[in-house]
Amino acid sequence: MIFAPSPRLIDVSLAQEIAQAVYTASSVPTVNSNDVASLAHPSIAAGSAAPEYFNAWSQHLSDIQKRLGRPLLAGVFQNQPLEHILEVARQVPLDMVQLHGNESVEMAQLIPVPVIKVFHVDDTFDLDDESDLLKTFNHSVILLDTKVAGASQQGGRGVSFDWTIARRLSDMGVPFLMAGGLTPDNVSEAVEVGRPWGVDVSSGTETNKVKDPSKIRAFVRGAK
């Protein structure tokens, strides 16, 4: 659910309606809405390397999703005040927060639910220079998305990046999400090349800026 400036921006009341619909359709409808925040974090030893840390989180989140019997509800924010993020997360409530701007990775420590942190990729992107990306005990999930030059708001632009960059992260044994220009037509190749833990899509499953059920189904088939 998008809470950052975007044509897809929704308010809290609509987000609550969406959340309620997800709870109603859940295979475990009796679980309360603050499940993820109340569940313990995965057991990770201090000083763990990035592969161990992020793999523990990916497994933990998969286990939570199975336990709840429903999708996890994530809210997307971009360069917005921490107080606003915390309030929206509490009101909906959200299971996860996605920071899609230039927020510091340390900001994740102040958010009581798991945090997906974006890292924008362009032609100058070098994993060796991205020390924040692999910092442990901050964000729980890494998201790679395309950096669009000159855009005041990143994300949802339908522009791809070089998937071999993502593959390098996968070869390091680090799970991550991948976004940027993914569509039903290219997601299978993107997954084969980049080998992400998961994918993130927005404009690629829309027709005339509206979510298209047939494209969503085709995208899911391709991603699997």
Side-chain angles (χ1 to χ4, degrees):
M1 293 181 280
I2 310 295
F3 300 99
S6 163
R8 305 171 184 88
L9 172 68
I10 63 172
D11 59 23
V12 169
S13 62
L14 179 55
Q16 290 172 330
E17 291 181 28
I18 294 171
Q20 190 56 54
V22 171
Y23 302 148
T24 300
S26 168
S27 61
V28 191
T30 57
V31 178
N32 72 53
S33 57
N34 283 308
D35 318 289
V36 175
S38 66
L39 291 173
H41 286 196
S43 178
I44 307 173
S48 294
E52 180 182 356
Y53 173 82
F54 289 108
N55 273 290
W57 262 113
S58 63
Q59 184 60 57
H60 184 64
L61 292 169
S62 294
D63 290 344
I64 290 174
Q65 190 274 325
K66 291 175 183 176
R67 174 174 170 179
L68 300 183
R70 62 169 175 80
L72 301 183
L73 300 173
V76 180
F77 301 86
Q78 188 168 155
N79 300 326
Q80 290 160 282
L82 174 63
E83 294 76 12
H84 173 69
I85 296 171
L86 295 177
E87 184 62 15
V88 172
R90 181 190 65 80
Q91 288 181 331
V92 175
L94 297 173
D95 298 321
M96 303 184 70
V97 161
Q98 180 172 316
L99 299 178
H100 211 82
N102 300 318
E103 304 89 354
S104 71
V105 294
E106 289 79 13
M107 187 178 188
Q109 298 178 20
L110 305 175
I111 298 172
V113 295
V115 170
I116 303 166
K117 181 68 184 83
V118 73
F119 294 86
H120 293 111
V121 181
D122 61 10
D123 292 340
T124 67
F125 186 89
D126 187 338
L127 279 174
D128 293 332
D129 297 331
E130 293 291 330
S131 58
D132 281 352
L133 186 148
L134 296 176
K135 276 187 177 178
T136 56
F137 299 95
N138 292 289
H139 49 295
S140 306
V141 180
I142 296 165
L143 170 62
L144 300 182
D145 196 2
T146 309
K147 181 176 182 179
V148 180
S152 59
Q153 297 291 331
Q154 298 290 331
R157 301 279 174 169
V159 180
S160 301
F161 65 87
D162 182 354
W163 298 325
T164 61
I165 295 173
R167 177 61 172 268
R168 184 179 169 200
L169 189 59
S170 176
D171 289 344
M172 294 167 61
V174 177
F176 60 94
L177 302 177
M178 191 164 74
L182 299 180
T183 70
D185 295 328
N186 68 13
V187 66
S188 181
E189 181 184 358
V191 169
E192 182 178 356
V193 174
R195 295 193 178 178
W197 174 52
V199 290
D200 182 349
V201 65
S202 189
S203 60
T205 53
E206 293 178 345
T207 298
N208 297 325
K209 299 185 178 180
V210 176
K211 288 291 179 286
D212 184 324
S214 63
K215 287 185 177 180
I216 293 172
R217 287 190 290 268
F219 185 90
V220 172
R221 287 194 299 270
K224 289 183 175 181

